Amino acid sequence: MKVIKNINNNVSLCLDNKGREVVAFGKGIGFTKPPYEIPLDQIQRTFYDIDESYLSVMVAIPEEMLSVAAEIYDYGNRKMNNRFSSNVVFTLADHIRFAMKREKENISIKLPLFYEVQNLYPEEIEIGIYALKLINEKFKVKLPKEEAASITLHFVGYRLNDSSYSGKNEKIILDKCTGIVEQMMGINIDKKGFNYSRFLTHLHYLLDRVRNNKIIATENGKVYEELKKQYPKTYECVKEIEDFLLTELNDEERLYLILHINRLCAYEDFY
């Protein structure tokens, strides 16, 4: 297998013998300057069909978080018959990184209610419970029980049979929402970027929750009101999206849209 780009000391982007790109994990495989050939017995695991936008974010994620995310992914696919895209490893690692950051900095954001998510997704919640236990053990932390619900919803967002935006009508909706953000926030969005991919995923499952009346409610009212005042322009952008979708979102859904749009703005170029 040929290494073409090193992500960190133990993770590299490679080409297999058929010329397909693959993200490979293996102890020390990233020490040598590419390109170079590496024996297959040095590779511990591989992930195909990884979204290109996730490669840049991997550099900022500690190796141990990638390893834990991969372990959780393996458990989830064993439990649910290979239902999840391998992209979930890298977005989950990013999720863990921010959860740990919130914990370290004492940032309190109310997470989805555990029992509500358990009721909506009784199979997937077992993955969230396993993940929370593993994270707490590996990193010697004590994340709240509700974090299991948040991780569960993360996995729901990466089910293979749900992860495509191929529907013509939905693509039009997503493109229109993207246009609203660019116009109202005055930014040029990198359509290949990691944050845009996360934004699309959030919108996709927001639409799914609206269609199936599965809107998640938590107790983030105060946080929402604070962000609404702190970012009035972002709030107006959210309201514009809401009007376009011809639906009335609850404060929780508006809160997460504000967070996603702000994250986009933090990394994009302004007009």
Side-chain angles (χ1 to χ4, degrees):
M1 187 171 288
K2 184 177 183 179
V3 175
I4 58 174
K5 180 180 180 180
N6 289 327
I7 295 167
N8 58 46
N9 291 341
N10 301 312
V11 183
S12 296
L13 179 65
C14 304
L15 293 177
D16 68 9
N17 59 5
K18 294 182 179 179
R20 297 175 299 177
E21 285 194 349
V22 53
V23 174
F25 282 41
K27 189 172 182 180
I29 66 172
F31 279 120
T32 305
K33 185 177 178 179
Y36 62 95
E37 294 290 332
I38 189 168
L40 292 179
D41 60 8
Q42 283 188 242
I43 296 174
Q44 296 170 337
R45 59 182 305 143
T46 56
F47 296 99
Y48 283 88
D49 301 319
I50 300 302
D51 191 312
E52 184 181 345
S53 65
Y54 296 168
L55 298 179
S56 60
V57 80
M58 279 187 240
V59 177
I61 299 175
E63 293 175 26
E64 61 268 25
M65 291 185 185
L66 282 168
S67 179
V68 167
E71 194 171 336
I72 296 168
Y73 164 78
D74 286 342
Y75 173 84
N77 267 342
R78 285 197 305 270
K79 187 168 185 62
M80 300 192 68
N81 196 26
N82 296 318
R83 188 177 296 184
F84 304 105
S85 160
S86 54
N87 283 303
V88 75
V89 173
F90 308 102
T91 57
L92 177 59
D94 188 56
H95 177 95
I96 293 170
R97 178 167 63 114
F98 277 98
M100 300 282 286
K101 187 173 185 290
R102 289 196 307 268
E103 175 75 5
K104 184 178 180 180
E105 296 179 2
N106 241 348
I107 298 173
S108 177
I109 292 182
K110 293 290 184 182
L111 298 167
L113 298 175
F114 180 86
Y115 293 107
E116 184 175 6
V117 175
Q118 184 181 44
N119 182 55
L120 290 172
Y121 304 106
E123 291 183 283
E124 289 90 343
I125 194 68
E126 296 300 321
I127 303 172
I129 292 170
Y130 172 85
L132 180 61
K133 184 174 183 292
L134 184 63
I135 292 167
N136 284 341
E137 288 177 355
K138 293 281 187 181
F139 300 111
K140 305 293 189 260
V141 294
K142 194 172 183 180
L143 297 180
K145 181 180 181 180
E146 286 75 17
E147 190 65 53
S150 186
I151 292 171
T152 297
L153 293 177
H154 188 91
F155 268 87
V156 169
Y158 280 88
R159 289 183 298 204
L160 283 171
N161 58 342
D162 290 339
S163 62
S164 171
Y165 306 122
S166 60
K168 183 178 179 181
N169 290 336
E170 184 154 306
K171 185 180 186 306
I172 292 171
I173 292 171
L174 295 172
D175 287 346
K176 176 62 177 177
C177 290
T178 299
I180 289 171
V181 174
E182 287 189 318
Q183 181 178 4
M184 295 197 68
M185 303 306 294
I187 60 173
N188 288 306
I189 296 175
D190 177 9
K191 306 303 190 299
K192 294 182 180 180
F194 177 75
N195 290 313
Y196 181 62
S197 179
R198 293 289 297 273
F199 174 69
L200 283 186
T201 299
H202 178 79
L203 278 180
H204 177 74
Y205 287 97
L206 168 62
L207 295 177
D208 183 65
R209 290 193 294 273
V210 169
R211 280 194 297 262
N212 294 290
N213 197 27
K214 286 186 174 183
I215 295 296
I216 300 297
T218 64
E219 300 173 6
N220 280 320
K222 289 184 179 179
V223 177
Y224 167 69
E225 290 299 329
E226 289 173 7
L227 288 181
K228 179 179 170 182
K229 292 176 183 177
Q230 189 175 354
Y231 302 102
K233 191 175 179 180
T234 312
Y235 169 72
E236 289 302 320
C237 183
V238 168
K239 290 298 292 180
E240 189 73 18
I241 291 173
E242 191 173 348
D243 290 343
F244 167 69
L245 296 177
L246 299 176
T247 188
E248 185 174 351
L249 303 177
N250 65 10
D251 290 350
E252 182 71 17
E253 297 289 355
R254 291 176 187 142
L255 167 65
Y256 281 102
L257 268 179
I258 288 173
L259 293 174
H260 275 284
I261 292 170
N262 279 351
R263 191 172 183 183
L264 270 178
C265 291
Y267 291 93
E268 305 300 338
D269 294 327
F270 289 81
Y271 292 138

